[in-house]
Amino acid sequence: MRLTTKGRFAVTAMIDLALREHSGPVALAAISARQQISLSYLEQLFGKLRRHGLVESTRGPGGGYSLGRKSEEVTVADIIVAVDEPIDATGCAGKENCMGEDTGRCMTHDLWASLNSKMIEYLDSISLRKLVDEQLAKGISIEEQPVKRAISTQPVVKPIKITAPNSVFALGGAAFSK
């Protein structure tokens, strides 16, 4: 089994999101900037995470993503499976036809199948909450105030300075006076 960037980035982004879960919805652009992960790639991953109920999306000003379940209820295995990351060390993807359609399993099939179950068991034993707590114990800094993305309630008043003529006649007169 080889964990690709898809699984690694999904787990990293979910930790980032869970660290900020009490600040309201988190914009993917903010996660992208903090974790140096492509925004378009995050959008793809979060679409899959949303379909599996691991995150919820909020549209509009101040929108973004929040956890779909409590962080202690989400495991690393949930995240990896949600983004279609295969957790399989067998050469046959569990079909037991390692040596070809007619010859059946290879001699090491049971070894790799056993490894698969141990990996899933291990990844299923680690909650998102545990990973967040580890980051907090390491002293990761989280912004005190979330970035405000909503429209301000105070209108912006700027004086308007008109430099153009205010009528067609004045425009024509301005052209002849020069």
Side-chain angles (χ1 to χ4, degrees), residues 75-113:
T75 67
V76 174
D78 293 333
I79 298 167
I80 290 173
V81 168
V83 295
D84 301 326
E85 186 74 75
I87 302 174
D88 188 7
T90 64
C92 61
K95 296 177 186 171
E96 299 188 9
N97 60 352
C98 314
M99 302 294 292
E101 293 299 323
D102 299 329
T103 55
R105 301 184 327 170
C106 66
M107 292 188 292
T108 57
H109 181 85
D110 292 333
L111 170 68
W112 304 128

Side-chain angles (χ1 to χ4, degrees), residues 10-174:
V11 172
T12 300
M14 287 292 285
I15 294 169
D16 188 292
L17 178 65
L19 281 164
R20 293 159 179 81
E21 70 181 326
H22 300 296
S23 301
V26 179
L28 287 185
I31 296 173
S32 173
R34 281 189 297 269
Q35 304 303 326
Q36 285 93 45
I37 302 172
S38 159
L39 180 58
S40 62
Y41 199 56
L42 278 177
E43 289 169 346
Q44 293 173 27
L45 293 176
F46 271 72
K48 292 177 180 185
L49 294 167
R50 187 179 50 77
R51 284 189 288 280
H52 280 82
L54 299 180
V55 297
E56 296 175 344
S57 62
T58 305
R59 293 179 176 230
Y65 283 88
S66 52
L67 294 178
R69 301 191 310 223
K70 294 179 181 177
S71 59
E72 44 283 339
E73 297 174 2
V74 177
T75 67
V76 174
D78 293 333
I79 298 167
I80 290 173
V81 168
V83 295
D84 301 326
E85 186 74 75
I87 302 174
D88 188 7
T90 64
C92 61
K95 296 177 186 171
E96 299 188 9
N97 60 352
C98 314
M99 302 294 292
E101 293 299 323
D102 299 329
T103 55
R105 301 184 327 170
C106 66
M107 292 188 292
T108 57
H109 181 85
D110 292 333
L111 170 68
W112 304 128
S114 177
L115 177 60
N116 287 347
S117 67
K118 295 290 184 193
M119 285 188 300
I120 292 169
E121 180 184 319
Y122 175 70
L123 295 174
D124 208 32
S125 73
I126 301 172
S127 71
L128 185 56
R129 175 86 259 152
K130 181 180 187 239
L131 297 175
V132 166
D133 290 343
E134 287 175 358
Q135 291 302 308
L136 293 172
K138 289 178 183 177
I140 189 169
S141 64
I142 301 170
E143 308 82 27
E144 288 296 320
Q145 295 294 326
V147 177
K148 301 272 186 194
R149 294 183 305 270
I151 298 171
S152 173
T153 57
Q154 298 295 323
V156 177
V157 180
K158 293 183 180 178
I160 300 172
K161 183 178 178 185
I162 300 173
T163 57
N166 63 357
S167 73
V168 175
F169 300 111
L171 180 62

